[in-house]
Amino acid sequence: MATADRLDRRDGTPALSARSVSVAYGDDPVLSDLSLAVDPGEVLAVIGPSGVGKTTLLRVLSLSLRPDDGIVTVDGTDAWTADAAGRLALRRRIGLVFQEPSLFEGSVARNVSYGLRVRRSWRERIRDGLASAVGFDGPSAGSNGTAAAVREALSVVGLADATDRPASSLSGGEAQRVSFARALAYDPDVLLLDEPTSDLDPRNTAVVEDAMGEAAGRGIGVVLATHDMHQAERVADRVAVLLGGAFAEVGPTAAVFEDPDDDRTRKFISGELVW
Amino acid sequence: MIVGVAPFVQGVPVAVLVDPAIPVGTLLHAAIPTGVVVDATVPVGVPFESVYVRSIVAVSLYVSGLAVLLGTLVGVPLAVALGSVEFPGKRLVTSAFTAGMGFPSVVVGLLVLFAVSNQGPLGGLDLVFTREAMVLSQFVLATPAIVAISLAAVSGVDESVRDAARALGGTRVDVALVTVREARYGVATAVLAGFGRAISEVGSVLIVGGNIAGADGVSKTRTLTTAIQLEARQGRYDTAMVLGGLLMALVLAVNLVVVRLGDEGMVR
Ligand SMILES: Nc1ncnc2c1ncn2[C@@H]1O[C@H](COP(=O)(O)OP(=O)(O)O)[C@@H](O)[C@H]1O
Ligand SMILES: [Mg+2]
């Protein structure tokens, strides 16, 4: 969806929502009766201590884990009553960045174009594959549209010149920035980030945080899971505090940090709550 | 009997041994362009060696190539599937394939011969002493190696890379393709191991194929290995040696090509 279309709907349907979602691993409940809506163009930080269930929540939101209970919608469509093809289409409107970059072997361009390539028809993919096999195409294989999208996504993370570099030659910080560009390249409606800067130095962290703002500016709903409260304070429009399997508090960033309603939130923010 | 002397090849006069019953001769004739009559003393009807050797190479490549192609088409997806699911008895299945790598080829040949014989389950297909029966037995020989080695390779692919493919919108097939691509050196090794096993085994192709060449010198089910075995047994060591050299060269060439293909896909 184009930026303008997404921003027009700022007050309408959430880009992504979870309603009364519960998840247990065996007999261990992790999330219970949790609800959340992500609007287009906002950065929503989900904060909470390690092991509280942030990753589990993102797996639910990315449709990779079906909750035991509750409903997940993408742009208003219930994902788990849709058929497999419908769910794949919904899944493809979501971008996901993990703590570890996990790049594919090959060039940076190959990594960043991956999402675009899997969305093409098999006929096109085979044709492009053959073309690049016989050397008809440069390293950033695919149509011109793909090459442009790749360069554009890489420029958001300051790596526009890195298209032809082998992924294996990147530093950890660069690899994570490529991983971010890889999810941005296919212009998702929602971007889910799971502790994306935990392993990064301050400089790379700043680049990724700026990229979050850039994505939100395009109307993408950004969900940032982090245990880093300072990061949440820096980048988030809203903060949801996950404690004990449910949200202790959800609200505008300033309100949550300056005047939390919930007592546990107050303790967590002041660092008293030790887990 | 010695019926003629070939022209000097690399400066060495070569005696040509021809047994009218079995179409053979020195392979050195094969190095001479076809159409050039090199040995006028060879009786009419005795085959020209280059036809003999070429048809043997063609049969070998056809049988082992097709068997390995089929083994790859079945074995690699099977390995990827086995590598991405957990089920009770998986270890048993895995070790069955590993054990299959060591199956004696004569026994496999015997079983395939039974299968394609008149009374066997595939008896209706009329496959006894055909190349297709040889393909079948080499498929049975090569596939376990392809599965077992590919499985080891794809199991080494980081789950997080597969997760990334899924997260970026990949389907199950896309994830499988990413897995194979990440493991392509191992998978190439698996295919080469399968090819090496197929092209160099004698037992099963001898049993199910029958080592047949026509009176015109054209091989029907004679492969490099069964030809070498026959030539050596009949004392035509130079022919056997040349066929052996060809077999070695073939295996090395296929290795080179496959390794090169793996390198090609590196940075793209
Ligand atoms: N696949 C799993 N099987 C069993 N337990 C799990 C699994 N994944 C996570 N857990 C448990 O669920 C809880 C929440 O984990 P997680 O969602 O990873 O939290 P966070 O991302 O906030 O650190 C933890 O106690 C963790 O041990
Ligand atoms: Mg986590």
Side-chain angles (χ1 to χ4, degrees), chain A residues 25 30 49-57 59 194-195:
Chain A
Y25 290 116
V30 177
S50 281
V52 78
K54 301 183 293 295
T55 296
T56 303
L57 174 61
R59 289 184 64 209
D194 194 358
E195 315 243 15

Side-chain angles (χ1 to χ4, degrees), chain B residues 117-264:
Chain B
S117 69
N118 278 339
Q119 301 91 323
L122 302 176
L125 298 176
D126 237 0
L127 290 177
V128 179
F129 296 158
T130 62
R131 291 191 283 265
E132 286 63 38
M134 296 157 77
V135 170
L136 181 60
S137 74
Q138 292 210 326
F139 171 83
V140 174
L141 283 171
T143 304
I146 295 175
V147 173
I149 300 174
S150 296
L151 179 57
V154 299
S155 303
V157 175
D158 208 335
E159 186 59 30
S160 68
V161 173
R162 299 157 58 82
D163 284 343
R166 241 184 311 263
L168 294 166
T171 60
R172 225 174 290 188
V173 174
D174 293 317
V175 175
L177 288 174
V178 162
T179 309
V180 171
R181 187 171 181 278
E182 298 284 315
R184 66 185 175 284
Y185 287 111
V187 172
T189 304
V191 173
L192 284 177
F195 183 76
R197 174 128 157 94
I199 195 92
S200 56
E201 69 94 16
V202 198
S204 89
V205 281
L206 195 57
I207 293 182
V208 304
N211 196 21
I212 302 166
D216 54 357
V218 176
S219 159
K220 289 201 168 56
T221 60
R222 185 168 300 172
T223 62
L224 283 164
T225 55
T226 57
I228 291 167
Q229 184 270 145
L230 180 73
E231 302 297 322
R233 192 161 53 82
Q234 305 206 340
R236 289 180 292 265
Y237 297 115
D238 49 352
T239 308
M241 287 297 284
V242 174
L243 288 170
L246 264 180
L247 180 53
M248 289 289 282
L250 211 73
V251 169
L252 290 176
V254 168
N255 266 272
L256 266 176
V257 168
V258 172
V259 170
R260 274 303 299 252
L261 284 178
D263 283 335
E264 287 284 300

